[in-house]
Amino acid sequence: MNSTARLYALVEELRAAAPRPLTVAALASRFEISTRTVQRDLQALLDTGVPVCTTPGRGGGWSIDPAMTLPPMHFTPEEASALAVALAATDDWAPYAGAARTAAQKIAASMTGPASAAVQEMAARIIALPTPSNSEVRTAVEQALITNTVLQLSYTDAAGHESDRVVEPAGLLTADGHWYLIAWCRSRQAGRGFRLDRITAAAPTTEQAHRHNLAELLRGSAAAGAVQPTTLAPLTPRREEPQSASGGAGRGPCDGSPRSRPPASPSTSPSTADLRRPRRQRVDDHRNEQRRRRQQLYQPADQAPPTTGPPPAT
């Protein structure tokens, strides 16, 4: 973790624990760094204006201004229990397992009342068998997905065959208790699914990957019928509705697009040359123009002037 990411994570850790202070030793253990590095990072936060402070003495430590903490979240006991179960399902091989732990801390710190008691009760009643994991592989996959960059990996398939691949990550698939990285494999020139616990090594690159459609990559595979979980529907961005043939006529500046303007009519304001004419002549010309327009307005349809342009199609 670079220094910038660590500073951000340090703020989030203090926010999750607020108003309870955290000691330097606890922060060093949490991020697996030295106490001197923690003290240097805390000083850097102070220098940049982040409202962190220290409480001396027994039971003291570093804390952050409560104004920067999350407001209480109003969950029902059932919703709080559902969150506990969902977070418990993110084992060490699940993508973003580390972020799930900090998210759980934030949620727990922001809950109050019956929901807080329910989530603590449910969390105490959930156990899981530990699974071996490779944090370096998981971190590389997470980074490639977030930055949409090409990933180099070593993979062992179900038959035990090892291979090196260069892939363009497209998304994640969960099935039968396993997580898969769905990607375009440049070696096979096709979509492939890589089970995360079978990736023995992974290294991110700085090369931008092409964006691929998950459904297209899974077409013809055993996972072709995979659909998005309904629980993620509120988090999915809405698709923009196609504009009508009129090009969005009637939309105004409130929805981000300028209202279409009607065709400009001939200007009726007097020009400089008109102003040079005698006033009486300008008045007469104006009256004649108004009279001509009224005649056109009330002219019978059978006496309408001939129109220009091509004849109608027959």
Side-chain angles (χ1 to χ4, degrees):
M1 182 182 297
N2 58 41
S3 58
T4 302
R6 190 174 62 249
L7 289 175
Y8 179 80
L10 191 59
V11 171
E12 295 302 317
E13 190 75 13
L14 293 173
R15 285 180 60 179
R20 178 173 57 89
L22 296 177
T23 64
V24 171
L27 292 171
S29 176
R30 168 66 183 84
F31 295 105
E32 298 180 353
I33 55 178
S34 66
T35 56
R36 176 173 294 185
T37 301
V38 172
Q39 292 173 339
R40 184 172 63 248
D41 289 346
L42 290 169
Q43 185 61 46
L45 291 176
L46 281 172
D47 295 341
T48 56
V50 178
V52 293
C53 59
T54 180
T55 303
R58 185 179 180 86
W62 286 83
S63 59
I64 198 167
D65 188 348
M68 289 196 67
T69 60
L70 293 174
M73 294 185 181
H74 302 289
F75 292 104
T76 65
E78 292 78 12
E79 291 171 338
S81 299
L83 288 173
V85 172
L87 290 169
T90 56
D91 57 19
D92 289 340
W93 264 115
Y96 307 101
R101 283 191 290 269
T102 58
Q105 292 175 347
K106 294 179 186 179
I107 293 173
S110 62
M111 282 185 181
T112 58
S116 178
V119 74
Q120 294 178 24
E121 173 69 17
M122 181 56 66
R125 301 172 67 179
I126 298 176
I127 58 177
L129 291 174
T131 56
S133 65
N134 188 327
S135 60
E136 294 182 358
V137 169
R138 192 185 66 228
T139 301
V141 172
E142 294 171 357
Q143 181 180 346
L145 285 168
I146 291 177
T147 59
N148 191 41
T149 50
V150 174
L151 183 68
Q152 298 176 347
L153 55 86
S154 299
Y155 187 73
T156 303
D157 61 16
H161 299 145
E162 299 181 1
S163 60
D164 294 329
R165 310 288 186 96
V166 178
V167 302
E168 300 177 5
L172 296 167
L173 168 71
T174 178
D176 300 328
H178 298 289
W179 282 94
Y180 297 81
L181 171 67
I182 307 303
W184 174 263
C185 180
R186 292 183 176 179
S187 303
R188 302 295 187 267
Q189 286 296 298
R192 289 291 187 269
F194 302 93
R195 218 171 87 174
L196 295 190
D197 58 351
R198 291 178 179 166
I199 300 177
T200 57
T205 68
T206 58
E207 180 185 355
Q208 284 294 307
H210 298 286
R211 292 196 176 273
H212 299 276
N213 183 276
L214 275 174
E216 293 293 334
L217 295 182
L218 293 174
R219 180 173 298 176
S221 69
V227 296
Q228 186 182 55
T230 55
T231 52
L232 296 183
L235 304 176
T236 305
R238 296 180 179 179
R239 295 181 180 178
E240 296 183 359
E241 296 182 359
Q243 294 186 359
S244 61
S246 60
R251 298 175 62 190
C254 290
D255 52 19
S257 61
R259 187 180 298 277
S260 56
R261 297 182 179 180
S265 58
S267 176
T268 57
S269 58
S271 62
T272 305
D274 292 336
L275 295 176
R276 292 177 181 173
R277 293 184 300 164
R279 181 177 181 277
R280 181 65 183 176
Q281 184 179 356
R282 296 201 304 272
V283 172
D284 291 342
D285 291 344
H286 178 71
R287 289 176 177 175
N288 292 336
E289 178 65 19
Q290 294 296 323
R291 188 180 299 112
R292 184 183 65 81
R293 292 183 179 181
R294 284 196 298 270
Q295 290 175 352
Q296 290 181 349
L297 180 63
Y298 294 104
Q299 189 175 23
D302 58 352
Q303 297 181 10
T307 58
T308 61
T314 58

